[in-house]
Amino acid sequence: MAHIDTIHSRLAPELGEMNAIISRYLMTSTPLMDEIVTSYLKVKGKQIRPILVILSAKMFGDVNEDVLHAGAALEMLHNASLIHDDIVDETYLRRGLPTINANWGNHIAVLVGDFFVSNALAAGIATGHLSIISALSALGKELSLGEIDQICNVREHKFDEESYLSMIRKKTASLFMNCVRMGAEAVNAPEEMIRPLERYAELLGLCFQIKDDVFDYFDQKKIGKPTGNDLRENKVTLPLLYALGAAPAEEADEKKALLVRGDLTDAEIADLIEFAKKYGGIEYAFSRMREMEKEADKLLDAFADGESKQAFREIFDFIISRDR
């Protein structure tokens, strides 16, 4: 398995140019905003989403300024969603560092998130592609609806896999899908070739969120997220959903009653985590991810062999195998 760092090194020139574009868009004459943005951008994360934009473009042509601006737009919109998520979820650590809301409070964090959204739209407009601007608009809607669906799943106590997958498709996979679409559209790729790559990205995004959710069942000091954090927020993810269906009815009903009641104690959270593990929830989550990987791998058969195609395969394996 090639580590994501290998792909980063291959795309270092393009990612460097894209990050310079982001910095230019986010530069202001307001000292406080500059201080917050400069600090925030020091930790860039894995930048998987702009990598997908660049790789998608490389599948069909050369990386141009429109591709780099599309990648910058998506990365800024993604970061805006993270900033707003941290406020909603009352998260005070991300990537092991204090969040903007932790350092500056919710009021300023909301404004910084809005600032990122506005600049994402500006970067999209700079491409001159109406389809890219439209995709950014549609993506903003999908991300919002995904969060609303998650809230509804919690409030309505939905314990089925279909509702969960529908929610994470909007909340997470939609961003991955738009990454490959915008990268391909920036180099005028034909629609019939974009569609299979978009489905690949949908499967990748679903797996990304499933793996993120699996982390919640283990000690995760590396990602700065406490064990059972999702359950503290009454979010029921795939491992537990599967266990609720696999366990004896009486035991499953007992666990559902806890989830419906909410406001779980640490002991109850620990019990639910062990319940999910006992009835094969973790193994099931990995089996679903590997099924999705097989489907995605077949979709890539339609494309010519090359470095970008291989990188797409490596990213999928990395997403499932990563430890943070």
Side-chain angles (χ1 to χ4, degrees), residues 9-173:
S9 65
R10 292 179 199 155
L11 301 180
E14 292 93 342
L15 288 171
E17 290 181 51
M18 185 209 69
N19 284 319
I21 290 170
I22 291 173
S23 294
R24 287 200 300 273
Y25 271 94
L26 295 176
M27 187 182 300
T28 76
S29 58
T30 304
L32 179 57
M33 183 66 82
D34 274 354
E35 179 183 350
I36 296 169
V37 168
T38 300
S39 176
Y40 185 84
L41 292 180
K42 283 180 181 176
V43 183
K44 292 185 173 64
K46 295 177 282 291
Q47 293 200 314
I48 289 171
R49 293 151 193 86
I51 284 174
L52 292 175
V53 175
I54 293 167
L55 289 177
S56 176
K58 281 177 171 284
M59 291 282 266
F60 302 104
D62 297 323
V63 174
N64 55 35
E65 281 295 310
D66 292 346
V67 174
L68 297 175
H69 274 80
L74 280 163
E75 185 69 352
M76 285 188 281
L77 188 59
H78 169 58
N79 279 282
S81 73
L82 295 182
I83 293 167
H84 287 153
D85 283 352
D86 288 340
I87 299 164
V88 173
D89 296 338
E90 297 182 353
T91 301
Y92 300 111
L93 279 179
R94 182 173 287 279
R95 299 169 188 147
L97 296 173
T99 56
I100 293 176
N101 50 300
N103 278 335
W104 300 96
N106 289 347
H107 188 177
I108 287 178
V110 168
L111 296 173
V112 174
D114 290 348
F115 181 67
F116 271 72
V117 171
S118 299
N119 282 290
L121 293 172
I125 290 168
T127 69
H129 288 256
L130 187 59
S131 60
I132 288 177
I133 300 165
S134 177
L136 280 171
S137 173
L139 176 57
K141 293 178 185 177
E142 284 284 279
L143 293 174
S144 299
L145 290 172
E147 289 296 329
I148 291 292
D149 281 356
Q150 182 165 266
I151 292 168
C152 289
N153 286 353
V154 170
R155 289 182 177 178
E156 296 168 16
H157 309 298
K158 291 184 177 179
F159 300 130
D160 62 284
E161 184 175 331
E162 185 179 351
S163 295
Y164 167 79
L165 290 175
S166 175
M167 178 271 293
I168 67 171
R169 183 191 181 281
K170 294 174 185 173
K171 177 186 172 184
T172 303

Side-chain angles (χ1 to χ4, degrees), residues 303-317:
F303 300 91
D305 291 339
E307 194 173 90
S308 295
K309 179 176 173 178
Q310 182 58 30
F312 272 120
R313 287 196 162 111
E314 290 168 354
I315 286 174
F316 215 118
D317 192 44

Side-chain angles (χ1 to χ4, degrees), residues 180-201:
V180 298
R181 171 162 287 280
M182 288 169 64
E185 286 181 340
V187 294
N188 301 310
E191 177 63 28
E192 64 270 18
M193 295 303 291
I194 297 176
R195 282 194 294 271
L197 202 57
E198 192 173 38
R199 172 59 179 165
Y200 163 92

